[in-house]
Amino acid sequence: MNKQVAILMGSDSDLAVMEEAVKILKTFEVAFEIHILSAHRTPDETVRYVRDAQEKGIKVFIAGAGNAAHLAGTIAAHTICPVIGVPIDSSPLHGIDALLSTVQMPKGIPVATVAVGKGGAGNAALLAIEILAISEKRLVGQLQNFRKSMTEEVLRKDAELQKKY
Ligand code: RP5
């Protein structure tokens, strides 16, 4: 199976958050690569990876980083594939720094920014799947089923609540 999504993170300390994206991609059986690559600690390797990944068939990048997070922006500067940035709460500023660094890309080089932390990492994977679903029909049905099961779960919990009170 061709690996279509690349998950990159700035540090191994980001892994617990980025594993939420892994879980979603596995659920949808979307093949992915995952690497620790830093925009500032491994700048040359990061750029080389992004260029090679595009040639290998990667279609969407997901980038998680904390602090003055510039990983997603650096990736976006070197590819025309969609880049989704996950701000990570790993600093004394509780992720507000990473959020602003990721979302405030200057015009011309977009980064789609999701919420800070695990919820954002899961949503980054869902957004990547939605992008792939434009040209991969099986994913459309899977996304619809995923939403349906969320709806059913909320309604089941509400029914339980009604029994209790
Ligand atoms: C960022 O700094 C990483 O993305 C991570 O969120 C944060 C802390 O990195 P470590 O010092 O834990 O390696 O570059």
Side-chain angles (χ1 to χ4, degrees):
M1 205 180 348
N2 278 355
K3 293 180 176 173
Q4 301 191 93
V5 177
I7 302 174
L8 305 189
M9 69 202 88
S11 168
D12 60 329
S13 64
D14 300 323
L15 185 58
V17 171
M18 297 312 289
E19 276 177 336
E20 292 300 309
V22 169
K23 274 187 214 163
I24 296 282
L25 293 173
K26 281 187 170 172
T27 301
F28 282 80
E29 294 176 333
V30 169
F32 62 90
E33 292 192 1
I34 183 162
H35 294 280
I36 300 161
L37 282 168
S38 161
H40 50 278
R41 291 171 178 158
T42 60
D44 295 341
E45 290 81 357
T46 301
V47 170
R48 203 175 309 132
Y49 175 80
V50 172
R51 290 193 174 138
D52 291 351
Q54 209 178 331
E55 279 167 24
K56 278 191 295 186
I58 294 292
K59 293 189 177 133
V60 185
F61 290 86
I62 296 174
N67 290 280
H70 41 252
L71 181 59
T74 299
I75 295 168
H78 291 92
T79 179
I80 54 163
C81 293
V83 179
I84 305 166
V86 183
I88 293 183
D89 171 8
S90 56
S91 79
L93 299 186
H94 306 297
I96 193 77
D97 43 1
L99 173 63
L100 294 178
S101 303
T102 308
V103 79
Q104 282 295 97
M105 277 299 288
K107 68 181 175 187
I109 308 292
V111 166
T113 305
V114 291
V116 176
K118 288 186 175 184
N123 275 350
L126 286 169
L127 186 52
I129 293 162
E130 288 177 3
I131 291 166
L132 297 176
I134 293 169
S135 57
E136 212 173 316
K137 221 170 170 194
R138 76 162 179 108
L139 294 174
V140 175
Q142 280 184 252
L143 284 163
Q144 283 164 342
N145 288 341
F146 183 80
R147 291 204 178 183
K148 199 168 156 235
S149 64
M150 274 193 303
T151 303
E152 286 167 357
E153 193 186 346
V154 172
L155 295 178
R156 183 183 53 75
K157 285 178 179 169
D158 181 60
E160 278 169 20
L161 189 69
Q162 299 316 306
K163 274 188 227 154
K164 194 171 172 187
Y165 298 104

